[in-house]
Structure formats: structure tokens, C-alpha cells
Amino acid sequence: MSMPFIDTLAMEHLPLETREMYARQQAHFGYLPNYATVFCYRPDVMASWAALLASIRRHVSPRRFELATLAAAQTLGNSYCALAHGRALASLVSPDVVLDIAEGRSSSGLTDEERAILPFACQVARDATQITQDDIDRLRHAGLDDAAIFDIVAVTAARAFFTKVLDGLGVQPDSAFADMDAGLRQALTVGRPIERPAEAHPPAWRVHME
């Protein structure tokens, strides 16, 4: 499989908490994603991240969550999250809309609120110190209340944590993303390249709980 910059624990040396985390990830995706392996030493951090993300998502519609997350991931230059959440958003809107977003074009497939959210989320990810009252007022004018504005900032800020962990440790997107439409895949690969299929986890890389 594609290797990060740090050594990860061999399967026979995994503590129970990590084995359980791997098993959950594997059950969800059908394979062990690359990002999970760098949390092998700190599965409690992965659990805390998942809990934080769940608490944020609870207040945001799936479409709005994916839109803000994609904007943040692209701005932060993280291919892994851009590919994952671009694919998720494409299932809620259309691949053409996601391609428009990825390539910086306006899309008729978005609402006025969504068109206002995109540049705001990008700016929060790029440099939140440059956000002004005018930026907030533009979101209000587009129809977002203050609770919704908080949610967009929280979605974006949380994504910054995850992308910095992955890129700081050299984690490549899973080879499974190679199955995406070529044009969309290329547009969403904004940082580290997708691992080559030959580097992907072999069938033996399975988590078997005792």
C-alpha cells in the first residue's frame, strides 16, 4: 500500500482500540482507507474527531455540509478530502455542478445561499483573519441566519484539522478514487496524487477481530 511519512504499526502489534477502529473503517468502506492507518498510535484522536464531526453535521444539511467541506478541502490543497467530498456532493447535485465548483465556475445548479457559502468557506480556509463584518452581512443577505453562519465556519475549521494531519504525514488518497470520472478526478486532485493501484492494500490487509 502507499506509505505515509511515519511508520505505522504492523497488524500483529495493533492495540485493541486500533483494531476496533480499523474494523469500523473497513466495514464502512469495504477496505481500510489510507487515512485510518496514521491514527494507529492515537485511535482516541480519531474517535474524538469523529465525534466532533458528527456534532457539527447534526446541524447542517448534507448538501450544505458537502459544499462547504469541498470548498475548504480545495482551498487547503488536500486531494483526499476534495475527492471524497466532491464525490459525495456529486451524488446530491450532479457531477457537472461539482466540476463547475472545482474549476471555479458559477453554476446554475446552486442556490443563491450556496453561491454565497462557497467563497466564504474558501476565505475561512485560506485566511480567517481576513473575514470582515461585510462577509457575514453578505451571508445574511443571501438568507443564512447566524446559527447557519456559525455552522459553515465550524465545518470549514474542522476540515482544516483533518487535512493538515493527512498532508503533514504524507497520506495519499486511496486508489479507489481512480474509478471516478477522469475529468472530475483531475479537477479534484488538488494536492497529493492518488496512490497507484499497485500500491493499494492487498487482500491480506484485513482486520480480523478475535
Side-chain angles (χ1 to χ4, degrees), residues 88-124:
L89 183 61
S91 70
L92 300 173
V93 286
S94 77
D96 288 341
V97 171
V98 176
L99 188 60
D100 285 340
I101 294 169
E103 295 184 342
R105 295 189 296 271
S106 179
S107 175
S108 60
L110 298 177
T111 67
D112 289 342
E113 287 184 1
E114 291 169 339
R115 279 190 284 273
I117 286 170
L118 276 172
F120 179 76
C122 288
Q123 184 57 56
V124 172

Side-chain angles (χ1 to χ4, degrees), residues 34-35 38-39 49 68-87 102 125 156 158-174 177 180 184-194:
N34 291 336
Y35 71 75
V38 296
F39 286 88
W49 156 251
T69 301
L70 173 58
Q74 278 206 289
T75 302
L76 292 162
N78 181 263
S79 298
Y80 212 139
C81 291
L83 288 159
H85 293 277
R87 183 170 61 185
T156 306
R159 189 55 44 181
F161 160 77
F162 198 63
T163 61
K164 297 302 183 183
V165 171
L166 301 193
D167 281 329
L169 297 174
V171 180
Q172 287 183 264
D174 307 311
F177 290 113
M180 292 176 63
L184 189 57
R185 183 182 70 241
Q186 182 176 359
L188 295 172
T189 304
V190 293
R192 297 193 185 280
I194 298 171

Side-chain angles (χ1 to χ4, degrees), residues 1 47-48 84 97 126 129 131 136 148 150-151 155 161 167-168 195 203:
M1 68 175 177
S48 296
V97 171
R126 182 181 302 109
T129 68
I131 295 293
I136 302 301
F150 172 90
D151 292 338
V155 168
F161 160 77
D167 281 329
E195 69 175 351

